[in-house]
Amino acid sequence: MLLDDTSAEFQDFFERHYAELARLAHLLTGETDAADDLAADALIALWQRWDRLRAADYPLSYARGVVANMARERIRSAVRERRRIALFWSRSPEKTNGPDVAAVLDVRAALARLPFRKRACVVLRHAFDLSEKDTALALGISVGTVKSQTSKGMAELERVLDVPAVGTFAGRRGR
């Protein structure tokens, strides 16, 4: 079966960007299994609007925004579910008093502690090496918000990971 131009265009977009969108979903949610589903769901949503999106200046930025929004909703849904379960069992979460081993902390665990917008800005800027402008486009926020959220997110990561504030985390600050 031959594909029409629109289908071929979308298939090319899918093949070029699916892995990146799945990686973005994984870094935002911390869930390997959910990452593929979120990327696929985002691409289905894009396909449904492809006639309009194919003419857009930045369809990849739009796709990143769709993935970010879906990841945020998944996180919110998981938080609500955990709260319902906690209420059902009427137990407060147990606190652990284990040793604090800062050297063992994983960056993904530290990222998971950041509020969603800070995490999204840090991930898009540093893991995906997007400019402030492209990050703003993907998240639908201003460049100034990207700058402040990235700066605050990096400061929190440095604090959590016990990285000396010598000016850079992964060599990227100020970019």
Side-chain angles (χ1 to χ4, degrees):
M1 176 170 110
L2 294 174
L3 298 175
D4 63 6
D5 289 343
T6 303
S7 296
E9 235 179 77
F10 183 77
Q11 183 176 355
D12 180 57
F13 182 87
F14 179 96
E15 289 172 359
R16 284 185 295 131
H17 301 294
Y18 175 79
E20 175 187 340
L21 295 173
R23 185 169 153 235
L24 172 61
H26 180 252
L27 288 170
L28 292 176
T29 64
E31 299 177 31
T32 305
D33 297 337
D36 286 330
D37 292 341
L38 285 171
D41 289 347
L43 285 161
I44 289 169
L46 290 173
W47 171 245
Q48 293 169 344
R49 297 179 197 86
W50 190 248
D51 287 339
R52 287 179 291 175
L53 287 174
R54 66 193 283 212
D57 290 335
Y58 304 104
L60 181 56
S61 290
Y62 184 81
R64 288 176 180 140
V66 170
V67 169
N69 286 334
M70 288 180 159
R72 176 182 352 199
E73 184 51 41
R74 182 172 182 83
I75 291 165
R76 286 179 179 165
S77 180
V79 167
R80 284 190 302 268
E81 182 66 18
R82 281 193 294 271
R83 286 181 184 151
R84 283 192 293 267
I85 290 170
L87 284 172
F88 178 78
W89 291 103
S90 298
R91 296 168 74 184
S92 61
E94 294 179 23
K95 295 187 180 189
T96 58
N97 294 325
D100 179 21
V101 185
V104 180
L105 284 176
D106 182 47
V107 172
R108 287 184 184 146
L111 276 171
R113 294 176 61 173
L114 293 178
F116 184 82
R117 184 176 284 178
K118 287 179 188 173
R119 181 180 339 142
C121 287
V122 168
V123 166
L124 288 171
R125 291 281 292 126
H126 298 289
F128 285 84
D129 203 24
L130 293 186
S131 68
E132 291 164 342
K133 180 182 175 188
D134 289 340
T135 301
L137 271 170
L139 298 176
I141 58 179
S142 73
V143 171
T145 301
V146 169
K147 289 179 181 182
S148 71
Q149 293 294 293
T150 303
S151 175
K152 291 175 183 176
M154 293 304 292
E156 287 181 40
L157 285 176
E158 288 171 351
R159 211 171 26 259
V160 168
L161 295 170
D162 198 27
V163 174
V166 183
T168 65
F169 176 79
R172 308 253 181 171
R173 181 168 298 160
R175 194 192 235 202

